[in-house]
Structures are given as C-alpha cells and as structure tokens.
Amino acid sequence: MEDRPLIVQICGNDPSIMARAACLIEDFCNNKSHGVDAIDINLGCPQKRAAEGHYGSYLLEKKDWKLVQEIVESMSKSVNIPISCKIRLLQTESQTVEFAKLLEAAGCSLLAVHGRQRGSQRHGRKGPADLDQIAAVKRALTIPVIANGNVRSPEDIWINLEKTRADGIMSAEGLLANPAIFKQALLLREGKDYQGNPLRQVALEYLDLAEEWKVPMDVQEQHVSHILGLSSATGGASWQHRKTAAERTKDLSLESKQGEAEEEEEER
C-alpha cells in the first residue's frame, strides 16, 4: 500500500479478547503482504452503542483504569507492532495527565487526545477543544502525542501545533469537509497559494475511488454531502441534503465519465 502508516483501530473491554484480536490483525495483514504499522485502541467513542457495550470513552472512568491498563499491557505484549490509544479529556486536567501516564506505562506507544470531554448523548460536543490540556499531556509524556480538535482550516493546523507542541494533528469533520486540508496546510507553510475551490476535483476523485472499491451508494452520499458542504450541524446529512448530494453525485459521475470519453476520442 502507498499510504502509510496503516493503523487499524479496534475497541472492546476484555484484555484477552483484545489481545487475540490484535494477533489476528497482525497475522492477517502480514499474510496479505501489505502489513500493518500499528493497532489503535478506541477510548474516545461517545456514541450510544459504546455506552451499551461499555467501551470507547465509557472506559475513562477511574473505576475502569485498571481494566484499561490490562488491555494495553496484554495487547502490547502480544504483538510485534506498536499499540496506540485515542482518548478524550477527563473531568480535570490532572486526571487526564494521570490517565495518559498510565497508558504510557502500560505500553502505549502513541497517544491521540481529543480535546473535549465526552458530553452527553443529546449534546456530543461541549464547546471548542481545550488545546491547553493537550499541551499539558504532551509535556507530561515521552511518547508522541497527536492533537485532535479545532481543525477547520489549513491555518488551524499550524495554530494547534504551535499551541500544543504536539507531534501531529488529527482531524475528523474538518477532513471530511475538506479532504485536501493537510495538503493545503503544507502549501501554506511553503508560502504557496492554496486558495480556490478544490471541492469538485476532490469529489470526482472520491467517486472514482468509491467505484473502484465498491463503496455503497448511501456511504457515497454521506461523504459527498460533507465535501459539498451539505452536512447538517449534527454531523449527519438530513434527508433533503442527502437527496441533493445524491443528485450532485450522479451529475459529477456523469461529467467525469463524459470527460473521460472525450479525452479518449481526442487521443484517437
């Protein structure tokens, strides 16, 4: 595979099952000849299914710290590749730092920190990400720390790196809306113009990849709705937005295929 590093994220609450899953992932990927560079433990998911299954951010309560420690230790001892973790903020900065240190001591090789607390089922977000807390985690650890949150533009990437001193930046919704955001950030650092509207080009490239990898149409609609700025504030597209995105998807697909046909005709 060209895109590296390749990291597989899993979740769960049973140390032995998580260790066996890590071994299966490592063996499967090695047998497929493309390998895997690390396995990530999801300790940040705030969704209802995570609460019902008692995993993700619902393992951040102090009563579960020993369990999480056992999960990280069992996984890191079972495979030859690094184990990383993704967490959210805890109730206080001191708790977040203490928990991060526990993860590092247990064998976590890289830590991604979403700079928000879990919030509630009804309101998943609780204001802007707290970059100061991520900076505190970075100062306390010796392993690499990835900052997550408050990335909506190429400029935000450099602002966040400067403020947190993190080793890297992770983006979720910002990247869905603008898959070219990291490339634009590099152009910005080089003093080059990144302005313009790359959305049509990005959408067409995505649709080509979706066709190649047989991505279901409903998933394509969701992704295109983000790229074209049609996503609702709650993170999911409304029915009308999805319908509009689907229509735009068809139009873009037709334009792409028509353009390819014209290019082939010119070559003849």
Side-chain angles (χ1 to χ4, degrees), residues 34 41 60 71 82 122 172-173 227:
H34 50 61
I41 304 172
L60 298 181
I71 291 172
R122 186 178 179 85
E173 291 184 10
I227 295 172

Short mmCIF file of all heavy atoms in Angstrom, two decimals, residues 34 41 60 71 82 122 172-173 227:
data_model
loop_
_atom_site.label_atom_id
_atom_site.label_comp_id
_atom_site.label_asym_id
_atom_site.label_seq_id
_atom_site.Cartn_x
_atom_site.Cartn_y
_atom_site.Cartn_z
N HIS A 34 0.67 -6.63 2.81
CA HIS A 34 0.79 -5.17 2.90
C HIS A 34 1.07 -4.71 4.33
O HIS A 34 1.37 -3.56 4.56
CB HIS A 34 -0.46 -4.47 2.36
CG HIS A 34 -1.75 -4.98 2.91
ND1 HIS A 34 -2.07 -4.93 4.24
CD2 HIS A 34 -2.80 -5.54 2.30
CE1 HIS A 34 -3.28 -5.43 4.42
NE2 HIS A 34 -3.75 -5.83 3.27
N ILE A 41 -6.28 1.56 20.07
CA ILE A 41 -7.40 1.25 20.96
C ILE A 41 -8.30 2.48 21.05
O ILE A 41 -7.87 3.56 21.44
CB ILE A 41 -6.91 0.88 22.37
CG1 ILE A 41 -5.92 -0.30 22.30
CG2 ILE A 41 -8.09 0.52 23.26
CD1 ILE A 41 -5.25 -0.60 23.62
N LEU A 60 -13.21 5.52 30.44
CA LEU A 60 -12.36 6.56 31.00
C LEU A 60 -12.63 6.84 32.48
O LEU A 60 -11.86 7.58 33.11
CB LEU A 60 -12.52 7.87 30.20
CG LEU A 60 -12.12 7.81 28.73
CD1 LEU A 60 -12.31 9.18 28.08
CD2 LEU A 60 -10.68 7.35 28.57
N ILE A 71 -5.73 -4.05 29.38
CA ILE A 71 -5.96 -4.16 27.93
C ILE A 71 -4.71 -3.74 27.16
O ILE A 71 -4.24 -4.44 26.25
CB ILE A 71 -7.17 -3.31 27.51
CG1 ILE A 71 -8.47 -3.91 28.05
CG2 ILE A 71 -7.24 -3.20 25.99
CD1 ILE A 71 -9.69 -3.04 27.84
N PRO A 82 3.52 -1.52 17.28
CA PRO A 82 3.12 -0.61 18.36
C PRO A 82 1.61 -0.62 18.62
O PRO A 82 0.81 -0.85 17.71
CB PRO A 82 3.57 0.77 17.84
CG PRO A 82 4.60 0.48 16.80
CD PRO A 82 4.19 -0.81 16.16
N ARG A 122 -27.26 13.55 24.05
CA ARG A 122 -28.00 14.54 23.27
C ARG A 122 -27.08 15.59 22.69
O ARG A 122 -27.27 16.06 21.57
CB ARG A 122 -29.07 15.20 24.16
CG ARG A 122 -29.98 16.14 23.42
CD ARG A 122 -31.04 16.71 24.35
NE ARG A 122 -31.92 17.63 23.67
CZ ARG A 122 -32.99 17.28 22.99
NH1 ARG A 122 -33.32 16.01 22.90
NH2 ARG A 122 -33.77 18.18 22.41
N ALA A 172 -11.19 15.18 12.07
CA ALA A 172 -12.33 14.31 11.76
C ALA A 172 -13.27 15.03 10.80
O ALA A 172 -13.16 14.89 9.58
CB ALA A 172 -13.05 13.91 13.04
N GLU A 173 -14.17 15.84 11.33
CA GLU A 173 -15.16 16.51 10.48
C GLU A 173 -14.51 17.50 9.52
O GLU A 173 -14.94 17.67 8.39
CB GLU A 173 -16.20 17.21 11.34
CG GLU A 173 -17.11 16.24 12.09
CD GLU A 173 -18.20 16.96 12.86
OE1 GLU A 173 -18.35 18.17 12.66
OE2 GLU A 173 -18.88 16.29 13.66
N ILE A 227 -18.29 16.86 1.57
CA ILE A 227 -17.37 17.56 0.66
C ILE A 227 -18.04 18.78 0.03
O ILE A 227 -17.40 19.82 -0.15
CB ILE A 227 -16.87 16.59 -0.43
CG1 ILE A 227 -16.03 15.47 0.20
CG2 ILE A 227 -16.03 17.34 -1.47
CD1 ILE A 227 -15.64 14.38 -0.77
#
